[in-house]
Amino acid sequence: NAGVTQTPKFQVLKTGQSMTLQCAQDMNHNSMYWYRQDPGMGLRLIYYSASEGTTDKGEVPNGYNVSRLNKREFSLRLESAAPSQTSVYFCASSVQGDRKAFFGQGTRLTVV
Amino acid sequence: ELKVEQNPLFLSMQEGKNYTIYCNYSTTSDRLYWYRQDPGKSLESLFVLLSNGAVKQEGRLMASLDTKARLSTLHITAAVHDLSATYFCAVDGTQGAQKLVFGQGTRLTINP
């Protein structure tokens, strides 16, 4: 079982460049999430999707957009990268409701 | 606004000793999750606590939830080196949507 797969694992961007982080899950989960983790901090929710076709803002959505392409895939787009977006990004999925979330391996993004 | 605080943030202990990590949160919730993260790795779900008085145990780790006190504890019994990791608690203040708010994490180091 692959679980939650994120691509790429590492990325360096120049300020102002755009990119899309990809996430796919093979567990037939309804809910998918994007978090960022900054050094010495817990994770903060960027966006989430409760089901295919729906998305909602989390705690830190500014500078990001998302697309729930289908039930399996949830992408995160940075339209104009800024150094403040340097972080490790985690995608997660869960069966909707009170079940544990499964996390991908993370994407380490550096914006210079 | 939901806030989650863990203490201690750093904990160094000897093998064989017992200790407790505390997770306090600021608004009403009966859904709390504990995760483990090894350096440079993703998050692994440890426990899901869904009601007042819930207690879950696996191996040397035991988690409990007191929703009236807005407090969860993660107790480590007879610590072993393999338990060295960062432990996060996360609270769902959205009645099951799993828009989690994470604590800062407790970095646990267990010395032989």
Side-chain angles (χ1 to χ4, degrees):
Chain A
N1 286 338
V4 180
T5 303
Q6 291 182 234
T7 55
K9 289 186 170 49
F10 300 93
Q11 184 71 48
V12 178
L13 288 179
K14 293 183 179 178
T15 298
Q17 286 185 318
S18 63
M19 79 162 295
T20 299
L21 281 64
Q22 306 286 353
C23 175
Q25 52 90 10
D26 62 1
M27 296 174 283
N28 202 35
H29 285 169
N30 292 311
S31 300
M32 297 186 73
Y33 312 83
W34 277 105
Y35 291 92
R36 62 177 286 173
Q37 184 178 31
D38 298 306
M41 296 180 68
L43 279 68
R44 291 182 293 170
L45 182 65
I46 305 171
Y47 271 93
Y48 89 109
S49 170
S51 61
E52 184 179 351
T54 67
T55 62
D56 198 2
K57 295 179 180 179
E59 185 182 354
V60 288
N62 291 344
Y64 305 95
N65 286 300
V66 291
S67 295
R68 183 75 182 266
L69 305 170
N70 47 55
K71 192 171 186 178
R72 291 188 63 248
E73 298 173 288
F74 189 37
S75 63
L76 178 72
R77 183 161 178 84
L78 287 70
E79 291 291 352
S80 179
S84 60
Q85 294 178 304
T86 293
S87 189
V88 180
Y89 291 84
F90 287 99
C91 177
S93 71
S94 69
V95 172
Q96 198 163 17
D98 303 327
R99 299 290 186 267
K100 65 181 180 182
F102 292 82
F103 285 78
Q105 290 302 303
T107 296
R108 190 173 297 271
L109 175 67
T110 302
V111 183
V112 298
Chain B
E1 180 187 353
L2 174 59
K3 293 191 183 300
V4 180
E5 292 190 353
Q6 290 180 233
N7 70 84
L9 300 183
F10 299 92
L11 178 55
S12 181
M13 53 193 291
Q14 287 185 315
E15 280 191 328
K17 300 292 186 182
N18 303 333
Y19 210 80
T20 301
I21 299 170
Y22 297 89
C23 174
N24 291 273
Y25 54 98
S26 62
T27 63
T28 302
S29 175
D30 58 1
R31 292 171 168 80
L32 190 139
Y33 304 78
W34 282 97
Y35 288 90
R36 168 183 172 147
Q37 185 178 37
D38 293 309
K41 303 293 187 181
S42 186
L43 278 76
E44 173 191 357
S45 176
L46 294 174
F47 300 109
V48 178
L49 303 170
L50 299 177
S51 61
N52 186 41
V55 177
K56 296 279 184 74
Q57 180 166 6
E58 179 145 350
R60 301 175 187 274
L61 300 178
M62 183 173 71
S64 66
L65 178 61
D66 181 344
T67 59
K68 294 179 181 177
R70 298 177 187 168
L71 171 68
S72 179
T73 61
L74 180 66
H75 187 73
I76 303 149
T77 302
V80 293
H81 178 69
D82 285 353
L83 291 179
S84 296
T86 299
Y87 292 85
F88 292 95
C89 65
V91 178
D92 178 3
T94 57
Q95 298 297 315
Q98 278 214 31
K99 294 172 68 173
L100 300 179
V101 177
F102 280 77
Q104 313 96 303
T106 297
R107 183 176 296 180
L108 174 63
T109 303
I110 299 170
N111 304 303

